[in-house]
Structure formats: structure tokens, C-alpha cells
Amino acid sequence: MAEKKKNKLGAKAIFARILAVILVTAIGGVASFFGFKTYFSNKLKKDKKAEIAKQLKEESKERVDVGMIQTGNSIVIRIYHNKNQEMIFVPLRQDMNLTLTKKGKQAVEQTLGTSVSKATVADVIKATRKNGKLLRQQVEKTLGISINSYELISHKKFVKLMNQAGDVKIEFDEAMAYTDKYVTLSAGENSLNGTAIYSLLSESDIFTDKNKQAEITGEICVAVASALNDKTLSEYREYAQNYFDAVKTDASYEEAATSLERMHGIKDKKLNFKVLDGTESNGKFELDTEEAKRVFDEMLSEEGDLSSALSTVNNNQI
């Protein structure tokens, strides 16, 4: 009787062990399944991140970036096509009327004591008092475009940056003086230092023909970009870092860094400028908004007809 009971207990023990093995196996299988699932889930996440990174890299090649550079009385719009490795500068005439936003009107009224719906580039720069966002809004409203970033550069820092840019060469049809007529540039090719560049871009009394000043501003921008591209890539990156450290901007070196190698590789023939068309009246320049829209539609499209955009159709009739 005792032996039978012992046998029964032995059977129960064996059954319990088998059940334990089954449970352990089942639990281990579930754990393995979840471990397997977690592994592939993490792998899929990594693959997805890699795919997104690849897509972003490809998209960055398609990107058209629009920046606004301001120093003294000068504003230049810089358009960079990353895919085509092309850069276009659009200098705005100092006497060009900008259409004002509500805040722009308030700023002009507070500074100039007059209530107007439009004001010249030079007056708006003065009225916005180094408020890059507000200045950008007036330019955007006038040109009908979106500007990705603004870069405001003081006189002193601009001169220093230009002196660091390299050999900036410009050819003039005739001799001209700058800085209160104390310095003269000769007819023909000239190597410009930072002081000369700032004066030619910003001073209002050098040129009676403001369109000529805008053209020279465009030529200088192209010459500076060309001089920078003559630097090694390492030097170019270092200059870009110094540039972003010097300017007041809502952009950053880190944002620009991914495009620097391609920007450095832009060929001279892919560096251009465009002076916008319009009419002069009573000492002010009124933009041809319809023509400006056509020009910017072409320049801001990767498939745009840039040769058409850069040509002069009806430039600055009086």
C-alpha cells in the first residue's frame, strides 16, 4: 500500500516536471518571440531612420535657399540652387520703394515722422533699426517671395569679412571716388578692399545713377563669391564659420554646413546677378511687380529658365 502511494507520488512529480518544462519552453518561446520582434522593430526603426536621412539628403540637393543680406544702405537677395550649384544675387536699389506691412508702417512713422504705405530701401533699413525679421517682412511683401533667412552685417564687421574674402577684382568703365571723395578707383580692373566694397555698396552720394550702383553691387557680390571659391574647402568652411559668428542672423553655420562643399564648387559661369526692372519717378524707384514675379518664378524654380530671368526686358525706364 505504501509502495503504491509512493508510485503515485512519483508519477505526480514526473507530471509536474513535464509541466514545468512545457511552461519554461512556452515562456522561453514567448520571450524569444518578443526578443525577435524587438530586434526587428529596432532594426526597422534604424532602417527607417537611414531611409529618412537618405531622403533628406536627396531633398537637400533639390533645395533652393533664399537669403537676405543687409549692410549700411544696401540689401542683396541671395538665391542658391543646391541641385544646379548656381547662385544669383539680386541687389535692391537704395531708392526702391518697399510696400510696408502694418508694423513696417508703424516703424517708419516712429522713425521718420510720416505716415506712408511705402518707403525706400534706405529709409526702411533706418526705420527697422537692425530688426532683421521686420526688415525681411517688408522685402517679402514687396517682392512677393519667401526669404529663408536674414543676415545683418555692421560696417566694421563687413569690412573685416571682405578683407578676409580674398582678391576681389572689379573692372570699372570710368574712375570713381568713394569715402567722401578721398579715395579714387581707376578705370579698368581694380582689386577692392573691404572699405571700398562697403562704400560702393552703401554710400548714397557716390552714384547719381542708382541703377549703376545696383549693377556694381551685383558685380561685387559675384566677384566676392568667386574669390571665396578660390579658397581651399577647409579655408572656405573656416570663412563660413567666421561669417556666421560675425553677422546677426536667424540662420546658423550648422544649417549651412551641409551645403558648403557644393557651394564651394560653384563655377564662375554659375555665379550671376540680376537688377530688377521698374520705373523712376520723383527720385524714387517703383518696382515692376509683374515682371518681378515672372523673374522670381523662374529663379526660384529648379526647372526655371534662368537665362530668361537674368535678361533685361525693360530695365528702369524714366
Side-chain angles (χ1 to χ4, degrees):
M1 191 73 176
E3 191 172 345
K4 266 189 172 182
K5 191 173 181 182
K6 186 177 178 182
N7 287 337
K8 282 182 180 180
L9 286 171
K12 287 179 180 178
I14 291 169
F15 178 74
R17 286 174 186 169
I18 292 171
L19 183 61
V21 169
I22 292 171
L23 286 172
V24 168
T25 304
I27 292 168
V30 170
S32 296
F33 169 74
F34 279 106
F36 185 75
K37 185 178 178 183
T38 301
Y39 167 76
F40 274 98
S41 176
N42 289 337
K43 189 174 187 304
L44 284 170
K45 284 179 182 177
K46 287 179 181 178
D47 290 345
K48 189 68 176 176
K49 284 181 180 178
E51 184 183 342
I52 290 171
K54 185 179 179 181
Q55 286 176 352
L56 289 173
K57 188 175 181 180
E58 290 302 313
E59 285 173 10
S60 73
K61 290 181 182 178
E62 306 291 325
R63 189 164 58 93
V64 177
D65 183 78
V66 183
M68 181 190 79
I69 307 166
Q70 179 270 320
T71 189
N73 291 319
S74 176
I75 293 178
V76 176
I77 306 302
R78 180 192 60 235
I79 299 171
Y80 167 58
H81 287 251
N82 198 36
K83 179 183 177 182
N84 299 335
Q85 285 184 281
E86 189 145 9
M87 191 172 287
I88 304 166
F89 299 95
V90 183
L92 304 186
R93 288 177 48 152
Q94 293 182 21
D95 60 347
M96 186 178 97
N97 266 334
L98 297 180
T99 303
L100 305 175
T101 64
K102 184 179 178 180
K103 288 185 177 179
K105 291 176 185 176
Q106 292 171 350
V108 168
E109 186 171 3
Q110 287 171 5
T111 305
L112 305 179
T114 179
S115 180
V116 292
S117 59
K118 292 184 177 183
T120 65
V121 165
D123 284 342
V124 173
I125 290 172
K126 186 187 297 183
T128 51
R129 300 172 188 240
K130 300 182 181 179
N131 183 333
K133 182 179 178 181
L134 184 57
L135 179 60
R136 178 177 64 189
Q137 289 169 349
Q138 313 318 303
V139 175
E140 287 178 326
K141 185 174 177 67
T142 305
L143 301 183
I145 62 173
S146 293
I147 297 173
N148 301 106
S149 61
Y150 61 80
E151 295 147 28
L152 312 185
I153 319 175
S154 70
H155 180 179
K156 184 178 179 180
K157 289 180 178 178
F158 181 86
V159 170
K160 183 177 180 181
L161 285 168
M162 292 303 99
N163 285 336
Q164 294 171 344
D167 190 10
V168 180
K169 293 182 178 180
I170 294 291
E171 192 163 314
F172 296 113
D173 295 332
E174 56 186 10
M176 61 179 63
Y178 69 91
T179 314
D180 296 327
K181 310 293 188 293
Y182 289 125
V183 182
T184 301
L185 297 169
S186 60
E189 188 177 75
N190 291 261
S191 289
L192 305 181
N193 61 23
T195 301
I197 293 172
Y198 180 87
S199 297
L200 292 168
L201 265 61
S202 182
E203 288 187 14
S204 57
D205 61 346
I206 297 178
F207 300 90
T208 53
D209 183 349
K210 298 302 180 186
N211 202 62
K212 182 66 175 176
Q213 183 171 29
E215 289 175 355
I216 288 177
T217 297
E219 290 175 6
I220 288 172
C221 289
V222 168
V224 171
S226 179
L228 287 171
N229 287 347
D230 287 339
K231 293 179 179 291
T232 66
L233 179 57
S234 176
E235 290 170 339
Y236 188 83
R237 291 185 188 279
E238 184 180 356
Y239 182 90
Q241 179 72 74
N242 292 336
Y243 178 87
F244 278 98
D245 288 343
V247 305
K248 180 180 179 182
T249 180
D250 57 348
S252 68
Y253 171 77
E254 287 70 26
E255 291 170 332
T258 55
S259 300
L260 289 180
E261 186 172 353
R262 290 181 65 77
M263 289 174 74
H264 179 254
I266 297 175
K267 305 298 182 186
D268 281 356
K269 66 180 180 180
K270 293 287 187 98
L271 294 169
N272 292 288
F273 73 90
K274 167 67 179 177
V275 176
L276 298 173
D277 300 326
T279 57
E280 293 178 18
S281 179
N282 298 322
K284 293 183 180 180
F285 178 73
E286 287 292 341
L287 180 70
D288 182 338
T289 53
E290 189 174 326
E291 175 62 12
K293 182 182 184 307
R294 183 194 72 80
V295 165
F296 280 112
D297 282 347
E298 299 290 359
M299 288 196 294
L300 297 178
S301 169
E302 288 291 353
E303 307 303 324
D305 184 354
L306 294 181
S307 60
S308 171
L310 294 171
S311 66
T312 299
V313 178
N314 182 30
N315 198 35
N316 311 314
Q317 300 285 317
I318 297 177

